[in-house]
Amino acid sequence: MKRAFNVWNNLDWFTVMIYLALVIIGWINIYAAVYSDEHQHIFDFQMRYGKQMIWIMAAIFLAIVALVIDIRIYSFFAYPAYLATILLLIAVIFLGKEVNGARAWFEIGGLRIQPTEFAKTATCLALAKYLSSFEIRIDKVKTMMTILLIIAIPSTFIILQPDVGSLLVFVSFAFVLYREGMPGGFLFFGFLLAFLFVFALIAQPLTVLIVILFIAVVAFFLLNKGTKETLIFIFTLVGLYFLIFIIAKLFHIKLSYYKTLLIASIITGISGLVYQFFRKVPYAFWVAVMMFIAIGFTYSIDFVFNNILESHQKQRVNILLGKESDPRGAEYNVNQSKIAIGSGGFFGKGFLQGTQTKYNFVPEQSTDFIFCTVGEEWGFLGSFIVLALFGLLLVRIIYLSERQRSAFSRIYGYGVASILFFHVFINVGMTIGLLPVIGIPLPFFSYGGSSLWAFTLLLFIFLRLDAGRLELFH
Amino acid sequence: MNQYSTRQYIIAGIFLSVFLIFLVRLFYIQIIDSTYKYSAENNSQRYVTIYPARGLIYDRHHKLLVSNKAAYDLMVNPQELREFDTASFCKILNINKEYVDKTLKKIKDYSKYKSSPFLFQVSDTTYAELQEKLYLFPGFYVQARTLRQYQYPIAAHLFGYVGEVDSSIIKKNNYYQMGDYIGMSGLEKSYEEYLRGVKGVNILLVDVHNRVKGSLQNGKLDRPAILGKNLVSSIDADLQIYGEKLIKNFRGSIVAIEPKTGEILAIVSNPTYNPSLLVGRERTKNFIDLRNDKSNPLFYRAIMSKNPPGSTFKLLNAMIALQTGVAVPSTTIGCYHGYTAGPVHVNCHVHPSPLDMPHSIQHSCNAYYSVLFRKIIDEQKLPRNQAYDVWRKLIMSFGLGQKIHTDIANELGGNIPSSNYYDKIYRKSWNSLTVVSLGIGQGEIGLTPLQLANVACAIANRGYYYVPHVVKQIEGIDTIDQRFLKKNKTLINPEYFDTVIEGMYMAVNGPGGGTATGAAVKGLDICGKTGTAQNPHGEDHSIFIAFAPKDNPKIAISVYIENGGFGATIAVPVASLMIEKYLTDSISRPYYEQYLETKRINYPVK
């Protein structure tokens, strides 16, 4: 193992280049977003672009440190780092500085550190460490529970801050688990629930129920590949529906179509479960259980939506779904953001020429809404290039992950890709009005030391692992 | 390599599909959909309204009556508000924190995004201090405005006042925006469209911190404000001032009109107020005080009070009798201290008897007009209701019983009841005797002082009148409204006017005494008719209508003094002084002025 090793020769310079490109483009856009006629010196450290320049220097320093550190440190310190960040997450709830209603920041002599950003890296490491342990089988309940625990502990403290955006990032670990063997059904089911959440808020209950049943039938058919059982399933359902309908008519009971269908599907589901005891039908159990969960879930959505979500969160969702309109209130940010991006056209208005971002119409334009500046000043072309760079980075990370010899490195790599993807997904989706407003930074772009450093560490730890992939076997 | 390595493609596929969806969306909002480009234009531009000064108002001799002075309104745009030092803010403006909180809340409730006035009419010195420190209070800015300034404290009702538009006005007329001023009454209201001018706009590039970053396209798209149009009124300022002085002790009004044109020379309404009270920051407070004032100074008696015309109405009945052929000028009727028919008795005062028509006017005989009115109803060879309606139609041809459509806002129309009205209240069983008091100008009829003056005009003109109006000329407009240029003919033949004019002349100038001899001025040939309207609530109302000179009249006037007693008691000297003042610009009888100066009436407290 001990042989002359030069990390610089084995470093994936392609990824480093994309990283540098994103950081530089990001800085240029922060400069444009903050730019005003009075402050033009790029090293004015009173201005955000001046500060961001310092953060970038520090980030590059961190990257170098991450690269020269002994490779075994990461695996070795995965759990301690994880525990340390959890302690920080707890501490920040009590000792943190409250900004915009969330206690997410430590303030040390003018420097703000957000432990949540580092918790993502640490959790990623811990997950990789656990999943790469000897004799781990992901389909065991104990394993699943442990994984859930690893993700849930930091999530819980993040909810308490509260920081919904970062919480959602932890959902992205589903991709990692999927890659490591979690049944695809779970991933599919996750998407299904996300879809149902939105669908149940805009559609009639009857429509939602019909869609759920349709998906159940299709899923059952695809999984079971048994035409006979599928037909029995359909006939039972349809038969029960008409039976209940006729009985209700005979006894003059007023039953809506929705309730009739609901009772029919519940009876069908229960009969399916009972049938299991006598004759094994592959997947019937899972389909029935998931159908119940889906129905229960849609039922609980209204409750969750009305009682658990806070009013501004509800409003953001409603606005996105077009159920509410308040162009200069809650919708303001999104509208201004869309206007800024939309007014960019194909080539953009040019560097420092954006009126929307320059005149501060877009809020949080150097942090969460930095993509607006890209859209306005660089147009579709610039937006395309930025998204293409991110796409390239993600594909490259997946490619690098797949060439790892150690499971730890691979899993960590997928974690990095998933976290980065989810940030870009939510952030850009929000600025172009496809997702509700959730405060979450655009990796390498958004102004702020913590997020830049955390993303840099996240990425360069992986690049260090990749560079030493021949050193580390597991 | 492990068994799930093919899943890398699914994961990469999901990632890239999402990015693809984003690109499609970006393509749509950046290239296909143009609405965002328009929105971007609105966003960075601020339309700054430039308020023009309202038009000036002159009197008939081009003497300035109403002008403007500069004022500064402190405006606030709630959206641009940031935390600011309330204490020093309050200190500069001399307001308290409660006002700040209350006003800001009110403004935010109205609109979070539109600018609204925060404080009206900041003084010059405060403005200077504020201007220096305005940068400390983002969201606030100063809007230059003009306020009304009055050269004389007169004609408050006539000019009317200017107030802020409310939401109902904004809804109805999209010219107005929150914080705009609008004429609320009088000429300010009726000539609002001319007086207000046209608001201008400066289009500025601004950021959300309200910082002006320059002018859009160097001001090429700016629109300058157009000043309000000046009005030349027909008011004779000296006459108006004089009239207000004469009746300042009384409740009532004077309306003087040039008969040849319908131009109002003076229109006095008392109690009144200083028009400057309804200008500026104290406007609301003063308005409330005036509204709560028991003497009701806001009430524009000259065009809104309707009272029975008393004996002045006899002039019309005389002419109607001639017109309907039920009497001739020489018709004589005896009077035995009044008129008695069945249960009805109408009193009369001491005068020679019997009298012919001109002399009946000279002495204002009640019996004569009770009989004459009954003749009009009973001797036209028409059913009762039709005969009454003929009478009513002839009365209304003098502009009575309906709005006369002068150019002062909020005029009322008075009342001349229809036959249906009597059918209703008497269940159809009524006759000429039931309504005989109409003959002497009592009963259910109501005339405004303006209408009364218009009757005087129609008589002075021997059969026609022009709609009385105050504005002679609107600057930059060729002509005033057509309705003021149209000759309105009464339905009485011109020759019948001579009879009543003869009576009116004799009432003032004799010989043999008359009811209005106190009005006579040598050489002015004043013709007039007194009236004394019975008032169930107290002392009679003192009324006089007159015109002069008899031939080629220059002025027609009505004076109505509530609770003033006989027509001769107050109305006659007031009218006489007004006519003399106007025609000779001198006063030969200062004792009349003294008399009016010291005369007091105990008005009932309502």
Side-chain angles (χ1 to χ4, degrees), chain B residues 242 245-246 249 577 589-600:
Chain B
Y242 189 61
K245 191 183 115 194
L246 289 181
N249 293 335
L577 287 172
R589 296 156 296 172
Y591 52 88
Y592 266 173
E593 290 180 348
Q594 242 165 6
Y595 161 72
L596 293 170
E597 176 76 30
T598 50
K599 176 83 181 169
R600 290 288 184 279

Side-chain angles (χ1 to χ4, degrees), chain A residues 241-316:
Chain A
Y241 177 82
F242 283 109
L243 191 66
I244 295 164
F245 186 78
I246 290 163
I247 290 171
K249 274 272 177 279
L250 282 177
F251 290 91
H252 298 288
I253 303 166
K254 282 215 162 156
L255 262 189
S256 62
Y257 297 121
Y258 170 66
K259 281 189 181 150
T260 317
L261 187 60
L262 186 66
I263 295 168
S265 13
I266 289 170
I267 297 175
T268 314
I270 292 170
S271 350
L273 288 179
V274 172
Y275 189 67
Q276 277 283 294
F277 282 104
F278 305 104
R279 254 183 78 186
K280 278 261 181 236
V281 178
Y283 298 107
F285 175 77
W286 286 110
V287 169
V289 165
M290 292 205 173
M291 191 177 85
F292 278 131
I293 293 176
I295 292 171
F297 178 74
T298 52
Y299 247 107
S300 64
I301 284 169
D302 275 342
F303 177 80
V304 170
F305 190 73
N306 291 321
N307 298 294
I308 295 182
L309 288 190
E310 290 187 26
S311 65
H312 70 276
Q313 292 166 333
K314 267 192 277 187
Q315 209 176 14
R316 286 169 181 177

Side-chain angles (χ1 to χ4, degrees), chain B residues 529-564:
Chain B
K529 177 76 197 80
T530 54
T532 307
Q534 284 167 15
N535 173 16
H537 308 293
E539 191 72 26
D540 293 345
H541 301 315
S542 171
I543 312 163
F544 188 54
I545 68 173
F547 64 88
K550 185 181 173 194
D551 299 314
N552 194 17
K554 296 272 190 300
I555 180 170
I557 193 165
S558 81
V559 178
Y560 205 111
I561 304 297
E562 291 171 26
N563 310 108

Side-chain angles (χ1 to χ4, degrees), chain A residues 178 182 328 336 356 361, chain B residues 7 25 30 43 113 208:
Chain A
Y178 172 66
M182 180 181 75
R328 318 277 319 241
Q336 294 302 327
Q356 301 305 291
F361 282 99
Chain B
R7 288 189 172 182
R25 170 75 171 178
Q30 292 189 305
N43 237 348
Y113 312 103
V208 286

